[in-house]
Amino acid sequence: MANWTNLHKLAASVSKEARQITRDREALLLLFAMPLLFVLIMSLAMRDAFREKGGVVLPIIVVDNDRSTVGSSIVDAFSALPAFKVDTAIEGGATDERSVRADVASGKHKFAVIIPEGTDKNARRRIQRQLRFVKGGTDGAPEIRLLADPAMRFDYRNLASTNLNRALQAIENRLLWEEFAALAGMKMTPERRQAAKEILTGNRPFAEVSAEDAAALGRKEAMPTAVQQSVPSWSLFGVFFLVIPLSVAFTKERQAGCLQRLRSMPTPLWVVMAGKAVSYFIINQIQFALMILMGIYAVPLLGGDRFAFGHAPLAVAMMSVAVSLAAVNYGLAAAAYCKTAEQATTFGGASVLIFGALGGIMVPKFLMPPVMQRLSAVSPMSWGLDGYLNIFVRNGTVRDILPQFAGLVCFAVISAAIAALKLRNIQK
Amino acid sequence: MNEAAVDITGLVKSYPGSESPAVAGIDLRVKAGAFFGLLGPNGAGKTTLISMMCGLLRPDAGSLRMAGMDIAARPNEVKQRIGVVPQDIALYPTLTARENLAYFGGMLGLSGARLRERVNWALETARLAQYAGVRVEVLSGGLKRRLSLVIGFIHEPEILLLDEPTVGIDPHSRLFIYESLRAMNAAGMTIIYTSHYMEEVEGLCREIAIIDQGRIIARGSLDDILAGGAGTGAVEIRSGEALPDGTLERITRLPGVRDVERSGKLLRLASDSPMDALPGVLALLRRDGVKVLSLSHGAANLEEVFLTLTGRGLRE
């Protein structure tokens, strides 16, 4: 009988919380609009950074002061790459180094290749000397320079310089072929020249190299796209962000004397706490579902990749439950220790941001130095993100998320115990 | 009606870091059906005592029985039989008046048709029926107080504990609260009412305890306490002219006169036995050629009783 009465009280508490939350516009914005926007924005903003073939197009200008086959070969080599858009003059037609440098410095072109006069002649001379086994031949040779936009990322700089070096290698190989042909008395007909160019411009190694994901169970369907990363990351952030409205609502309730009144009534403390926990848990599940739907339907509409839910719905459900329990109970613990709504906002917001930063939400963990990667182990968001990535990116199943699931549930239990101990002794 | 609604023995409660206990060994017995006033200045220990009586605080020592049950042993049963009206308004501002009543009624164990019936009764009793669907955040302070009050007895408790329930409200709402409490008491509910407003306690309570520094320094019926403090009754004499030199000093030396104050042509005597002291005072004034225009003798009030007992005012 007593149990039924408490269940009835629990239902009344959940209903009361739901009414309060749905009437708090600011809390609703914080709980739903903010994380949904984050998922949308980050999925779109990070899209190209995750695409295998690179959706990024880097404008590059090739200034050919030599007016030889070297310049045209470099232009051909970069034009063949989808990551680059090649121009041979800046806007207005200028090709002098000063104008080109200013153009790149302003970011209009991301790179400039400057080929000095005499490059082709120098290259041929060097090859002829090498074929006669004469050392040297490069002293005083003009340098081909690659200028980069100062704001250009290091990996894109590497991409440009690697492709430039490959193009130069191809040119050298072609010149060597021509010299060998001449030495062998072979006439270089236009057909042979074209064939040599086609063979060497491709410049493919003798065996193809391709990278593939080491996904669990040998499945390859999931791609590590921006949306696969952003949906779980920002879902976690949104779920944990409820610490703020929850702890603010709770501290206000205490300040108003409602908690004191409730404790003078024949209602166990666990009913009061569970009433909040269940309500916010339901909100978390709605948040998560909306963010998944956002990834599946809204992100593709705006040009992003479609979120792939994967093959382990039970694992997803387990992670979602564990993350919610951790977030809700952490919110209750924060509320128990904060005396005012201001304290709750500051502490709740700051702790969630720190958990997020450490947990790889804002900066992916693989970009962190080893010390920070080890430190990230203290953040429950890190466990949550690892669990979700195991499912959505690494194609994991229930077995693959058990450590993260257990960690989050333990965190939830400890947080709930801390909250209960503190609230039992609180007068107001 | 003779059994004790409240039976407290040797109750002690200290807060960490505090030099003296908030409640320092209180013994108190309140009969069922009483309208009992707990009077004391701010910080006297009233709220701590009430908090222990409603199970919010655990005593350091002593025993506390409410409605015949030990609250430490059977907290939920005691809580079911008491009602509490806290000092704070203690309502959910974004819920309506009806939703607040329904929620707290539910937490008090009411449900279904009974809950709906009691919510409607409470709205009628508090004269809040027209505000039933209005969010509490837009109600006036007085209306909120009324709502807070009826939540305290929506479940028809045997004992109602009120901790300064009229702080900061308008006279109209205060009157409403007084009327409601009288009606509840008349229906048999035991009421424990704390206040530092002596007028309230004088007007409402038939029995009173005065609490100061965690101890009960006087208790009994209102008449007993006022009679016990009759010595504090003041005699005021208004004269036609200023007192000649030495008259005031001579009055002070008269038997039965404890203290004399002069304010212009008004003479105020404090006497342990005004009726015995007065003939001598009047004879002395006549002898010194002082014409008496008026004379009044006021019975002691709780403020004066408290002043006599503690040497401090209730609002200090």
Side-chain angles (χ1 to χ4, degrees):
Chain A
M1 182 66 182
N3 288 340
W4 281 112
T5 307
N6 283 337
L7 282 178
H8 181 83
K9 288 176 182 176
L10 178 61
S13 290
V14 172
S15 163
K16 182 266 290 179
E17 292 292 337
R19 283 197 176 101
Q20 284 186 292
I21 295 162
T22 51
R23 288 170 192 178
D24 186 345
R25 254 181 273 171
E26 288 78 14
L28 286 177
L29 276 174
L30 206 61
L31 287 169
F32 291 103
M34 191 271 300
L36 284 171
L37 269 176
F38 266 129
V39 166
L40 190 63
I41 291 167
M42 298 310 287
S43 298
L44 295 174
M46 301 294 286
R47 182 192 60 184
D48 293 339
F50 281 91
R51 280 200 174 165
E52 191 183 21
K53 302 248 175 180
V56 176
V57 177
L58 303 164
I60 187 168
I61 178 169
V62 179
V63 179
D64 184 8
N65 292 320
D66 192 43
R67 294 177 185 13
S68 63
T69 54
V70 173
S72 63
S73 297
I74 290 173
V75 168
D76 289 347
F78 276 103
S79 299
L81 298 169
F84 294 94
K85 176 182 169 290
V86 184
D87 290 318
T88 52
I90 62 169
E91 207 174 84
T95 54
D96 60 289
E97 185 175 336
R98 188 188 171 90
S99 306
V100 169
R101 189 177 280 276
D103 182 88
V104 174
S106 69
K108 286 177 187 160
H109 282 90
K110 300 301 176 191
F111 297 102
V113 179
I114 298 179
I115 304 164
E117 200 177 336
T119 301
D120 184 79
K121 195 187 287 178
N122 181 266
R124 285 177 194 280
R125 194 186 308 133
R126 180 170 172 264
I127 283 165
Q128 282 163 3
R129 286 171 69 91
Q130 285 174 346
L131 286 176
R132 289 196 294 275
F133 301 100
V134 178
K135 287 181 185 175
T138 53
D139 299 341
E143 251 183 28
I144 293 176
R145 286 178 299 147
L146 177 68
L147 307 180
D149 174 1
M152 204 71 249
R153 277 169 36 180
F154 185 70
D155 50 348
Y156 287 140
R157 288 176 192 236
N158 271 346
L159 182 70
S161 65
T162 302
N163 279 296
L164 179 58
N165 283 325
R166 280 179 62 177
L168 292 175
Q169 190 74 50
I171 291 165
E172 191 168 29
N173 286 345
R174 182 165 54 81
L175 292 175
L176 265 170
W177 272 42
E178 286 178 11
E179 289 300 324
F180 277 135
L183 284 173
M186 190 183 285
K187 195 180 175 187
M188 287 301 285
T189 61
E191 292 77 24
R192 282 179 174 162
R193 269 185 211 284
Q194 183 58 32
K197 190 179 176 185
E198 283 173 11
I199 290 165
L200 292 167
T201 304
N203 197 28
R204 293 209 177 268
F206 67 92
E208 289 290 337
V209 177
S210 65
E212 67 179 68
D213 301 313
L217 302 175
R219 287 195 297 260
K220 292 191 201 171
E221 293 89 334
M223 291 286 290
T225 59
V227 74
Q228 294 300 118
Q229 299 267 346
S230 296
V231 168
S233 298
W234 295 100
S235 298
L236 268 166
F237 193 70
V239 163
F240 267 86
F241 224 71
L242 71 69
V243 168
I244 297 178
L246 192 162
S247 55
V248 167
F250 207 178
T251 46
K252 279 185 178 170
E253 194 171 330
R254 269 169 54 194
Q255 283 180 299
C258 292
L259 189 64
Q260 194 186 23
R261 192 196 278 270
L262 283 171
R263 290 192 52 215
S264 73
M265 295 178 173
T267 299
L269 182 61
W270 74 260
V271 169
V272 178
M273 284 178 63
K276 293 187 185 302
V278 170
S279 314
Y280 281 92
F281 177 85
I282 293 168
I283 286 173
N284 272 175
Q285 300 312 309
I286 297 171
Q287 273 181 316
F288 185 64
L290 286 176
M291 283 187 269
I292 295 278
L293 292 173
M294 175 75 98
I296 293 174
Y297 298 107
V299 174
L301 282 179
L302 295 167
D305 295 308
R306 185 187 178 88
F307 179 76
F309 189 74
H311 306 273
L314 179 61
V316 176
M318 283 171 67
M319 281 305 297
S320 180
V321 166
V323 166
S324 279
L325 289 176
V328 167
N329 287 293
Y330 175 66
L332 288 173
Y337 279 88
C338 293
K339 288 181 178 154
T340 63
E342 290 75 18
Q343 275 182 11
T345 309
T346 310
F347 176 77
S351 63
V352 169
L353 282 174
I354 291 169
F355 279 156
L358 278 178
I361 305 294
M362 286 99 176
V363 180
K365 273 196 279 184
F366 64 82
L367 288 179
M368 295 178 183
V371 175
M372 291 302 292
Q373 287 189 16
R374 282 197 293 276
L375 200 59
S376 75
V378 302
S379 166
M381 277 199 218
S382 167
W383 316 335
L385 188 57
D386 284 347
Y388 279 133
L389 294 183
N390 282 351
I391 302 166
F392 295 134
V393 175
R394 300 182 187 110
N395 270 317
T397 60
V398 169
R399 205 176 60 179
D400 300 305
I401 55 106
L402 283 179
Q404 290 83 11
F405 175 81
L408 288 163
V409 170
C410 285
F411 180 83
V413 170
I414 292 168
S415 298
I418 290 171
L421 284 174
K422 182 71 181 170
L423 288 171
R424 268 177 56 167
N425 297 317
I426 279 178
Q427 263 306 284
K428 189 175 172 185
Chain B
M1 281 289 173
N2 285 330
E3 68 188 60
V6 178
D7 194 355
I8 295 172
T9 312
L11 206 64
V12 176
K13 179 70 191 176
S14 296
Y15 292 110
S18 176
E19 285 179 9
S20 52
V23 169
I26 282 181
D27 297 314
L28 183 67
R29 193 177 158 85
V30 179
K31 284 180 194 168
F35 201 134
F36 193 88
L38 210 54
L39 186 70
N42 289 326
K46 303 187 297 291
T47 300
T48 302
L49 181 57
I50 290 283
S51 296
M52 287 189 281
M53 289 163 84
C54 63
L56 284 175
L57 273 182
R58 202 174 288 224
D60 296 337
S63 78
L64 203 163
R65 295 178 72 82
M66 300 286 291
M69 288 178 286
D70 185 344
I71 194 163
R74 299 159 75 181
N76 279 341
E77 285 168 84
V78 170
K79 286 175 179 181
Q80 189 66 59
R81 292 167 74 171
I82 64 170
V84 180
V85 180
Q87 208 169 25
D88 295 311
I89 298 277
L91 298 169
Y92 292 100
T94 54
L95 300 187
T96 65
R98 181 184 292 280
E99 287 166 348
N100 267 283
L101 283 164
Y103 174 64
F104 285 116
M107 295 300 107
L108 285 161
L110 301 172
S111 61
R114 175 76 178 140
L115 176 62
R116 285 192 292 278
E117 179 201 320
R118 292 302 295 171
V119 166
N120 289 333
W121 172 87
L123 286 168
E124 289 299 327
T125 303
R127 294 174 211 153
L128 287 170
Q130 59 178 315
Y131 302 105
V134 177
R135 286 191 197 183
V136 162
E137 61 195 349
V138 297
L139 295 181
S140 71
L143 295 182
K144 285 178 192 168
R145 270 285 175 208
R146 287 194 215 171
L147 185 58
S148 176
L149 179 77
V150 289
I151 287 170
F153 50 75
I154 190 170
H155 60 307
E156 299 177 282
E158 291 171 33
I159 305 166
L160 182 62
L161 304 166
L162 300 107
D163 190 6
E164 310 212 19
T166 57
V167 171
I169 61 164
D170 59 282
H172 182 69
S173 294
R174 185 173 296 165
L175 199 62
F176 163 80
I177 289 175
Y178 297 160
E179 284 172 12
S180 304
L181 293 179
R182 283 194 188 103
M184 290 296 131
N185 183 240
M189 193 181 288
T190 306
I191 294 178
I192 315 282
Y193 190 97
T194 80
S195 179
H196 64 271
Y197 293 130
M198 60 193 172
E199 308 87 353
E200 280 190 347
V201 177
E202 273 187 31
L204 287 170
C205 305
R206 294 190 300 276
E207 282 186 90
I208 292 164
I210 297 178
I211 183 168
D212 186 44
Q213 296 181 338
R215 292 177 191 282
I216 290 177
I217 54 174
R219 70 150 301 174
S221 70
L222 179 62
D223 291 341
D224 287 346
I225 287 200
L226 293 179
T232 61
V235 176
E236 288 185 349
I237 300 167
R238 189 170 294 280
S239 61
E241 56 277 314
L243 294 186
D245 291 344
T247 303
L248 197 69
E249 199 183 329
R250 283 195 289 281
I251 293 173
T252 311
R253 288 200 294 268
L254 288 173
V257 175
R258 191 154 40 84
D259 194 21
V260 184
E261 278 178 37
R262 182 175 58 180
S263 173
K265 294 174 185 174
L266 185 71
L267 199 62
R268 198 163 193 274
L269 305 180
S271 170
D272 294 333
S273 177
M275 293 306 143
D276 295 337
L278 206 49
V281 174
L282 292 174
L284 193 150
L285 289 173
R286 193 165 49 244
R287 204 163 50 240
D288 286 359
V290 178
K291 187 178 177 186
V292 174
L293 298 180
S294 68
L295 187 148
S296 65
H297 174 217
N301 60 27
L302 281 173
E303 180 86 46
E304 287 163 340
V305 171
F306 189 80
L307 189 65
T308 305
L309 291 169
T310 66
R312 292 179 288 115
L314 265 169
R315 291 181 178 81
E316 281 177 24

